[in-house]
């Protein structure tokens, strides 16, 4: 059974090493890479061999060079198959909602026990999400404030726009194919007529016409 490959993006080396040491003791998990900031992570992913390409990234928010928010956006654009667990000291509901709306699969405070982080990795790998007290609170507050509904509406409208664009692209392709089909059909008809005329001409030329 293939192990869950995890990369850690965290600027504090001691914290990063602690997580790495614990995760490497878990049979189902292996740490395949680590980075100090988002830019370093993206470079690592771009050049990673297949066996070093992670299924999940543990991503800090406050980092130099490129922070977690910008890194999350780029991950979702450039590496859509990678799942992301935010790992941070920020426990505000608004921040959690923001990260989740950008595509984070879960949000774990650094104060959580190591076993909770392992549980989040296993859940996100199997189910695409992991809910805890913090994420539940953020969702409830978002619903109360109407933010969740607005975000859901935006996501729905975006998907509808993508569908419309896709249909438009298909329609253009269909028109092009139909046009090409008519062109081929017309060309074929002209060619057939020309060949028929040529055959008649040959037949007439071969006939013996009397002179008067």
């Amino acid at each position: 059974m293939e192990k869950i490959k995890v990369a850690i993006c965290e600027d504090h080396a001691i914290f990063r090493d602690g997580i790495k040491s614990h995760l490497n003791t878990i049979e189902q998990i292996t740490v395949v890479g680590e980075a100090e900031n988002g830019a370093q992570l993206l470079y690592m992913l771009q050049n990673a061999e297949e066996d070093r390409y992670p299924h999940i990234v543990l991503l800090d928010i406050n980092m130099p060079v490129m922070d977690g928010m910008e890194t999350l956006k780029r991950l979702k654009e450039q590496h859509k198959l990678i799942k992301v667990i935010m790992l941070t000291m920020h426990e505000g509901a608004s921040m959690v909602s923001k990260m989740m709306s950008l595509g984070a699969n879960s949000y774990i405070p650094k104060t959580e026990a190591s076993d909770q982080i392992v549980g989040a990795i296993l859940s996100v790998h199997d189910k695409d999400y992991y809910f805890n007290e913090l994420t539940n609170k953020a969702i409830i507050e978002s619903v109360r404030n109407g933010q969740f509904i607005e975000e859901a509406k935006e996501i729905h409208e975006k998907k509808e726009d993508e569908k419309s664009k896709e249909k438009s692209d298909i329609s253009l392709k269909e028109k092009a194919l139909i046009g090409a089909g008519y062109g081929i059909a017309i060309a074929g008809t002209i060619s057939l007529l020309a060949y028929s005329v040529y055959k008649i001409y040959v037949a007439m030329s071969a006939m013996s016409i009397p002179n008067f």
Side-chain angles (χ1 to χ4, degrees):
M1 182 178 176
E2 185 183 14
K3 289 191 173 186
I4 302 171
K5 291 176 284 191
V6 175
I8 306 168
C9 188
E10 159 69 50
D11 61 324
H12 292 98
I14 295 176
F15 187 78
R16 189 173 67 244
D17 291 342
I19 296 175
K20 178 182 176 181
S21 297
H22 181 70
L23 294 181
N24 280 333
T25 65
I26 308 302
E27 186 179 355
Q28 306 99 308
I29 299 172
T30 182
V31 177
V32 295
E34 47 187 307
E36 297 179 359
N37 57 67
Q40 194 177 89
L41 174 70
L42 293 172
Y43 179 81
M44 180 184 73
L45 294 176
Q46 185 178 352
N47 296 280
E49 298 290 337
E50 184 177 353
D51 62 339
R52 305 294 294 177
Y53 192 81
H55 299 112
I56 294 174
V57 168
L58 297 180
L59 182 62
D60 189 17
I61 291 182
N62 288 334
M63 297 181 293
V65 185
M66 184 185 294
D67 65 18
M69 187 177 294
E70 181 61 29
T71 304
L72 176 59
K73 291 177 183 177
R74 298 199 186 191
L75 281 174
K76 292 304 174 179
E77 291 172 357
Q78 302 171 18
H79 303 276
K80 296 181 179 180
L81 295 179
I82 292 179
K83 300 170 184 179
V84 182
I85 297 175
M86 305 306 296
L87 197 60
T88 179
M89 295 298 292
H90 293 276
E91 299 186 18
S94 61
M95 178 61 76
V96 178
S97 297
K98 180 64 175 177
M99 294 298 103
M100 301 297 275
S101 69
L102 290 175
N105 299 85
S106 189
Y107 194 102
I108 306 295
K110 288 183 178 180
T111 53
E112 290 276 7
S114 298
D115 289 342
Q116 295 295 321
I117 296 173
V118 171
I121 292 172
L122 297 176
S123 179
V124 166
H125 180 263
D126 294 340
K127 304 175 184 177
D128 288 340
Y129 62 85
Y130 173 77
F131 291 133
N132 54 19
E133 185 177 345
L134 188 61
T135 53
N136 291 342
K137 181 180 178 182
I139 291 171
I140 290 170
E141 288 193 11
S142 294
V143 171
R144 286 174 177 169
N145 297 331
Q147 179 182 347
F148 181 81
I149 296 173
E150 288 301 316
E151 289 174 355
K153 183 179 177 182
E154 287 177 10
I155 292 171
H156 175 73
E157 290 176 349
K158 184 179 179 181
K159 288 187 179 296
E160 288 299 315
D161 289 341
E162 290 174 354
K163 287 181 182 178
S164 297
K165 185 178 183 300
E166 186 177 340
K167 287 181 180 179
S168 177
D169 291 341
I170 292 173
S171 179
L172 289 172
K173 288 179 182 178
E174 287 176 343
K175 288 178 181 178
L177 288 172
I178 291 170
Y182 280 137
I184 292 170
I186 292 169
T189 302
I190 292 173
S191 297
L192 183 61
L193 287 171
Y195 179 72
S196 298
V197 171
Y198 168 74
K199 291 290 287 184
I200 293 171
Y201 171 76
V202 171
M204 291 181 64
S205 298
M207 294 175 60
S208 176
I209 302 176
N211 293 323
F212 294 95

